[in-house]
Amino acid sequence: MNYISTRDPSLKKTSAQVIKQGLADDGGLFMPEIIPHITFSELKTIVSLSYPERAAKILSMFLTDYDTEFLNYAAHRAYSYERFGANAAPIKMLDEKNCILELWHGPTSAFKDMALQIMPVLLSEALNITSEKRTALILVATSGDTGKAALEGYRDVDRIKIMVFYPEDGVSDIQKHQMASQEGRNVGVCSIKGNFDDAQTAVKKIFSDPAIAEELDASGLFLSSANSINWGRLVPQIVYYISAYCDLVKEQRICLGDKIDICVPTGNFGNIFAAFTAKKMGLPVRRLICASNKNNVLTDFINTGIYDRNREFYTTISPSMDILISSNLERLLYVLQGAEKTKLCMESLAKTGRYELDDEIKEAVRETFTGCYATEADTKDTIKEIFEKYKYLIDPHTAVAVYAARKTSLTDNTVVVTASTASPYKFSADVLSALGYAIPEGDFFGALDKLHEITGVDIPLPLNALKTKPKRFFAVCEKDTGSLWYEVEKFVKNRF
Ligand SMILES: *Cc1c(COP(=O)(O)O)cnc(C)c1O
């Protein structure tokens, strides 16, 4: 299978090259030339498989230059009992119609683990497949969840080093301690005196600086990226939507062939694009509900066909969705209207912060997607209501999606699968206050323990274990590119 750029279909690459490279040479995103089809008889076979077996099967349909035995090994290693418990992506029925897909049973308690536990093995193998002699240096700017999941995924992986930058005041206390206490001999962490956009902008400048690339090359290194523009992040996410469907069949909630709706709390449009790809593969999906928080640029886009980032940016209690440029939307544009028009849209976005779709494309978007957003009050009310009604505890990101699923619910009995993207304990303080309790003074473990005391819901082991993990990284730097680069150089020199 060949991969092409969303801005130029003549630029062909293999999946190993795509995973290694991240972004296409022309600034576009990589897409498979053809989306493979999954038949009902194949789905029927998948119903009886374990999660790692399901993953190996789906991955092999996209990563055709990887050995199937290798993919099988990689999936079993990634979605093992030690890393994810007995089931990597279990479904929970709230009632006959509403199903929650729990995606936070991995080591960092957020859904990013679903991709970032397997992607390092895929990148490692990509170095072999492409006979790459250099070491990959992964730089990440994070608003919280990606950084920790990437550190945990890439720690101690040979021929890969990783350095993460996070905004000093832009992540939760738990997220901060998760990163600052990270173990592993190939990892570096630094906080910056700025917000997420500052971190992102500085890291992007490092990526596009030819002098830096040359300097790294001379020391046997090249830059690689771990965020969701990389196809290696998206393909493992397709798996759990297919897996959830198969579990519904297995539990006789639906019959093979019945359609479901899928609702996803969305930031960069990565997770919901994975669901869209599953639908394109032939998974019986009716509607995709795109749930946003107060930063509702995608809700407007779906309703009007106009993407306009020229608006106020809000900081919310669902910070991983505080995004005004949803990078992966470019992949949807490509599927719906081809490379030429996508390129024009992206040029317009870069120039004016805005683009508008043609009428028939607007219609195509609305045919598949329903947009809905939750205010901060909606989000908190939903956490409280769902706990009171079902004794089921959800985090603020999941709450945004549950709100959207209920708000846009149709009167028929079609099952709605809602992606739950983080453990409520990752956002203990906000969840506590949504439930109507005061946040305990002192360190953040107080909120964790109090939430447990009140709800009786188990604290994920890795979060509980943080209590005894010493802080290992103390570096803080200014937000300009020079300061970040200085830290990267120090990291590269000191440790290797
Ligand atoms: C990253 C993240 C999201 C948003 O996912 P996208 O793929 O960026 O749309 C939602 N919830 C949580 C908890 C996240 O960490």
Side-chain angles (χ1 to χ4, degrees), residues 109-112 145-146 175 228 233-234 237 264-272 320-321 323 328 395 397-398 420-423 426-427:
S109 305
F111 92 96
K112 305 283 196 294
D145 291 334
T146 300
Q175 288 175 321
S228 68
R233 276 267 310 261
L234 277 191
Q237 297 180 203
V264 185
T266 307
N268 226 347
F269 209 76
N271 203 6
I272 194 166
S320 301
M321 298 159 70
I323 286 178
N328 277 295
D395 94 290
H397 303 77
T398 308
S420 175
T421 49
S423 159
K426 211 162 175 178
F427 302 92

Side-chain angles (χ1 to χ4, degrees), residues 83-124:
R83 291 166 198 244
F84 282 89
N87 187 348
I91 55 168
K92 295 274 158 71
M93 301 302 296
L94 288 183
D95 50 35
E96 287 299 302
K97 183 170 159 174
N98 289 291
C99 170
I100 305 284
L101 171 58
E102 292 182 350
L103 300 173
W104 40 262
H105 291 276
T108 76
S109 305
F111 92 96
K112 305 283 196 294
D113 290 328
M114 298 301 297
L116 282 164
Q117 281 296 307
I118 193 162
M119 197 179 146
V121 198
L122 299 177
L123 174 58
S124 227

Side-chain angles (χ1 to χ4, degrees), residues 134-414:
R134 296 169 299 173
T135 289
L137 172 62
I138 295 175
L139 296 186
V140 181
T142 183
S143 60
D145 291 334
T146 300
K148 177 61 185 180
L151 287 164
E152 199 53 40
Y154 283 102
R155 72 186 258 193
D156 298 328
V157 178
D158 282 343
R159 296 177 56 204
I160 299 179
K161 323 284 176 208
I162 174 163
M163 179 148 201
V164 168
F165 293 94
Y166 69 85
E168 170 102 284
D169 299 317
V171 302
S172 82
D173 289 343
I174 292 185
Q175 288 175 321
K176 200 177 275 189
H177 192 62
Q178 274 187 312
M179 289 187 273
S181 65
Q182 178 64 43
E183 291 161 355
R185 57 185 156 73
N186 61 338
V187 303
V189 177
C190 181
S191 75
I192 74 151
K193 292 183 192 161
N195 61 26
F196 170 65
D197 277 335
D198 298 324
Q200 171 111 311
T201 305
V203 166
K204 273 193 183 154
K205 278 193 191 144
I206 292 179
F207 268 94
S208 59
D209 186 331
I212 284 181
E214 219 168 278
E215 184 182 332
L216 287 172
D217 189 60
S219 0
L221 291 161
F222 72 97
L223 289 172
S224 188
S225 124
N227 52 42
S228 68
I229 50 149
N230 194 312
W231 181 253
R233 276 267 310 261
L234 277 191
V235 72
Q237 297 180 203
I238 299 167
V239 176
Y240 48 70
Y241 293 111
I242 296 175
S243 175
Y245 186 90
C246 290
D247 282 344
L248 286 167
V249 171
K250 196 172 179 176
E251 293 183 10
Q252 300 181 334
R253 303 279 179 183
I254 58 171
C255 298
L256 193 68
D258 286 354
K259 289 203 169 179
I260 59 167
D261 289 342
I262 296 176
C263 179
V264 185
T266 307
N268 226 347
F269 209 76
N271 203 6
I272 194 166
F273 187 77
F276 175 78
T277 309
K279 177 173 161 62
K280 278 273 155 200
M281 289 175 77
L283 191 73
V285 177
R286 182 180 59 176
R287 293 185 307 157
L288 292 168
I289 302 160
C290 177
S292 301
N293 65 22
K294 200 175 172 192
N295 295 293
N296 59 356
V297 61
L298 286 167
T299 316
D300 289 346
F301 169 72
I302 291 164
N303 290 336
T304 64
I306 299 170
Y307 194 94
D308 191 350
R309 63 153 302 193
N310 303 307
R311 58 179 73 210
E312 202 178 329
F313 174 86
Y314 299 105
T315 305
T316 72
I317 59 169
S318 46
S320 301
M321 298 159 70
D322 292 344
I323 286 178
L324 289 182
I325 301 187
S326 300
S327 315
N328 277 295
L329 193 58
E330 180 169 349
R331 290 193 157 104
L332 178 69
L333 298 186
Y334 168 77
V335 173
L336 296 179
Q337 60 178 16
E340 216 169 297
K341 280 188 177 164
T342 300
K343 191 170 174 207
L344 291 177
C345 286
M346 290 304 121
E347 281 168 2
S348 166
L349 182 67
K351 244 188 250 133
T352 66
R354 179 183 188 281
Y355 61 81
E356 177 162 4
L357 301 178
D358 294 346
D359 285 345
E360 80 266 21
I361 309 295
K362 284 182 186 173
E363 199 44 51
V365 169
R366 268 200 303 261
E367 229 162 73
T368 303
F369 291 89
T370 303
C372 183
Y373 77 97
T375 64
E376 294 289 90
D378 295 334
T379 309
K380 289 183 194 163
D381 290 347
T382 304
I383 292 174
K384 190 161 193 283
E385 253 181 77
I386 296 298
F387 187 69
E388 284 172 357
K389 189 162 176 201
Y390 302 103
K391 288 284 165 274
Y392 186 77
L393 195 61
I394 53 177
D395 94 290
H397 303 77
T398 308
V400 166
V402 170
Y403 173 84
R406 296 168 105 210
K407 179 91 179 168
T408 63
S409 169
L410 303 176
T411 48
D412 64 356
N413 289 327
T414 302

